[in-house]
Amino acid sequence: MPNQMKRQMKRFSTYLASLFCLVAGLASSLPASAQTPPTVEQFTLANGMTLIVKPDRRAPTAVHMLWLRVGSMDEVDGASGVAHVLEHLMFKGTPTIPAGEFSRRVAALGGRENAFTAKDYTGYYQQIPANRLEDVMMLEADRFAHNQWPDEEFKKEIEVVKEERRLRTEDSPRALMNEALNAAVFVASPYRRPIVGWMSDLQAMTPPTHVNFSCAGMCPPMRQWWWLVMWT
């Protein structure tokens, strides 16, 4: 081995050793509370809903999440994508909060929010200053108890979902291949259906489709709900 290479390897080894000592020293200097994993607490509310609280003191923020054990696998043939469509419609307001106001209020609190649909679950979350946790909990409670879906809002939002499918699936050869592969592998399983839905189903979807699914699927017994709060 040339001398120059030996010197470079020696310098690199010295650097790694110094870095290891630095990290070890920083870790040992942290308070015990920072080194000990936080205690996660789990409760079952009177209505059967599961509440999970995980302290996280790295920043003065709180993460509020609501999970439902319902996703695209709970759909029926001919209505693929309805779980994802309903997730979109959950932002369309209540009798006291107009469409779009939910997101505006969370932003005004200094937070951010979003939602997601998977095959087995759907989730909604907000990240806000810790002292505004109660505000988003009240917003979320109102949304799930009193959400309304005017037909005009549905007609606009279904076009948004169609465009999402075009962007993420139909314009991507890899995504199209994965979609076809899932359909071929899971022949007799609800997992064969894409989360965003087949375009033919989206084009045929009407307001009663998502209303019926929301009543039968997206409002399951409370034992199928998970309420997660990570706070400081």
Side-chain angles (χ1 to χ4, degrees):
M1 181 181 295
N3 292 335
Q4 183 178 1
M5 185 175 295
K6 288 182 179 179
R7 288 194 298 270
Q8 289 177 345
M9 292 187 65
K10 185 176 181 180
R11 283 197 297 269
F12 184 67
S13 299
T14 303
Y15 169 77
L16 285 180
S18 302
L19 182 61
F20 175 79
C21 292
L22 176 62
V23 172
L26 288 174
S28 63
S29 65
L30 290 174
S33 59
Q35 299 182 51
T36 304
T39 301
V40 178
E41 297 185 82
Q42 182 169 322
F43 310 89
T44 301
L45 305 183
N47 59 8
M49 187 178 187
T50 299
L51 170 63
I52 301 174
V53 180
K54 178 184 177 182
D56 186 338
R57 308 191 185 284
R58 292 174 295 178
T61 61
V63 177
H64 174 250
M65 306 186 74
L66 189 61
W67 295 66
L68 292 83
R69 295 180 188 170
V70 178
S72 64
M73 72 159 291
D74 297 284
E75 300 164 348
V76 297
D77 290 334
S80 65
V82 66
H84 177 236
V85 171
L86 183 58
E87 174 220 309
H88 278 238
L89 292 171
M90 291 297 289
F91 292 86
K92 295 305 175 180
T94 70
T96 57
I97 299 179
E101 183 65 18
F102 185 102
S103 298
R104 284 191 287 270
R105 292 195 183 187
V106 174
L109 294 174
R112 59 179 182 174
E113 42 79 45
N114 212 329
F116 49 86
T117 303
K119 292 187 179 295
D120 300 289
Y121 54 83
T122 307
Y124 302 82
Y125 72 89
Q126 302 86 37
Q127 182 176 11
I128 34 67
N131 62 346
R132 307 316 296 264
L133 178 60
E134 182 179 358
D135 295 314
V136 296
M137 292 175 77
M138 293 178 66
L139 283 172
E140 197 68 276
D142 176 63
R143 170 161 72 172
F144 271 84
H146 306 115
N147 201 274
Q148 56 188 11
W149 309 296
D151 289 356
E152 288 305 314
E153 290 292 344
F154 170 81
K155 291 175 183 177
K156 291 189 291 185
E157 203 61 32
I158 195 67
E159 296 302 321
V160 173
V161 175
K162 290 178 186 177
E163 190 59 32
E164 183 177 340
R165 176 181 166 82
R166 295 186 188 101
L167 177 65
R168 296 187 176 183
T169 303
E170 297 185 358
D171 288 348
S172 170
R174 178 176 294 180
L176 282 174
M177 183 190 70
N178 288 334
E179 185 178 81
L181 180 63
N182 280 337
V185 171
F186 299 106
V187 177
S189 168
Y191 286 109
R192 71 185 181 281
R193 292 187 291 264
I195 295 171
V196 72
W198 303 111
M199 182 60 84
S200 58
D201 290 344
L202 296 176
Q203 291 171 338
M205 196 172 293
T206 60
T209 306
H210 75 265
V211 171
N212 291 337
F213 180 76
S214 70
C215 295
M218 295 300 282
C219 295
M222 295 302 286
R223 66 177 180 274
Q224 296 188 32
W225 294 49
W226 292 76
W227 192 9
L228 173 63
V229 179
M230 299 174 61
W231 70 304
T232 57

